[in-house]
Amino acid sequence: MKRQTVFTLLIIAFVLSFFVTPLGDYSKIMLNRFFATSPTIIKPEKRGKITDYDWKLKDENWKFFNFDEAKGKVVFITFWTSWHMPSQAQLKDVQYLYDTYGDKMKFYVITNEERAPVDLFMEEQGYTFPVTYQIIGEPSPIGLLKPPGSYLIDKNGAIVIHQNAIADWDNDKIDKLLNKLIAE
């Protein structure tokens, strides 16, 4: 075989590996993380505001609670599913945020999946942040709050960040913003 033919076959095999092997899944997650940008901070005059915190959810132990426990606190919310690659790519940064700020603000890492696949995924990946389960049919009273996306809400209920795409939450810009919001 000619050298060019071998090279072409290797490229084809590499590209196919993205579609048919676990290596491809891992590579796609890494590419999503690599190309993620820092979330955009909404200018204060353009921020939506939460006025009603009445929202029933379930915690990681499958017990009901109300979102009103977050009133007056800095809140991070992200919607995710264990099978969605961009969600998987972002969870490493969510773990960083939880490890760094978990005792200073509220975290709602929300899924609408059943508990068993989520528990398995969390164990396999080694994540320790608490998972919140959305109750199907229980509407969010927050008009701006809907999947997909991640949100950062200040103590007064203003939505400081609304990010639909995967984002890089592990950076100095976000750390400075969170420290400022927590200190207010």
Side-chain angles (χ1 to χ4, degrees):
M1 264 196 248
K2 289 185 178 180
R3 187 179 209 159
Q4 185 175 1
T5 304
V6 170
F7 182 70
T8 302
L9 288 174
L10 285 173
I11 297 242
I12 290 170
F14 178 73
V15 170
L16 284 175
S17 76
F18 275 85
F19 298 103
V20 296
T21 68
L23 173 64
D25 288 345
Y26 178 76
S27 300
K28 286 183 236 175
I29 289 170
M30 293 307 295
L31 283 172
N32 269 291
R33 288 189 45 73
F34 181 75
F35 288 111
T37 59
S38 183
T40 304
I41 300 170
I42 301 169
K43 292 180 182 179
E45 64 274 7
K46 295 194 176 206
R47 293 178 182 169
K49 191 162 182 154
I50 296 172
T51 56
D52 183 4
Y53 281 77
D54 186 25
W55 184 19
K56 291 178 192 164
L57 299 161
K58 289 183 192 174
D59 67 14
E60 67 271 9
N61 297 316
W62 216 244
K63 292 182 180 166
F64 293 97
F65 72 95
N66 199 303
F67 182 67
D68 64 2
E69 71 181 21
K71 196 170 192 174
K73 298 180 173 117
V74 176
V75 178
F76 176 80
I77 299 172
T78 190
F79 289 93
W80 72 287
T81 56
S82 63
W83 52 266
H84 189 242
M85 220 164 283
S87 292
Q88 293 174 14
Q90 187 162 283
L91 290 180
K92 187 173 183 179
D93 283 359
V94 172
Q95 184 66 53
Y96 162 77
L97 289 175
Y98 181 72
D99 290 344
T100 307
Y101 300 101
D103 58 339
K104 299 172 186 155
M105 56 189 275
K106 299 296 278 181
F107 281 83
Y108 298 93
V109 185
I110 301 173
T111 184
N112 62 3
E113 291 182 85
E114 292 295 323
R115 187 174 174 189
V118 171
D119 286 347
L120 179 64
F121 176 82
M122 295 291 287
E123 184 178 325
E124 287 174 350
Q125 300 301 316
Y127 294 131
T128 59
F129 52 78
V131 175
T132 303
Y133 294 89
Q134 186 175 14
I135 300 169
I136 304 300
E138 177 69 29
S140 165
I142 308 160
L144 296 170
L145 195 61
K146 57 186 176 236
S150 297
Y151 303 84
L152 183 63
I153 302 166
D154 72 11
K155 292 177 180 179
N156 298 315
I159 299 174
V160 179
I161 294 175
H162 170 210
Q163 186 73 27
N164 279 329
I166 182 174
D168 172 19
W169 294 90
D170 181 2
N171 64 64
D172 290 339
K173 175 179 145 184
I174 296 302
D175 285 336
K176 286 177 187 173
L177 174 65
L178 285 171
N179 288 324
K180 178 183 171 206
L181 293 174
I182 290 167
E184 289 179 347

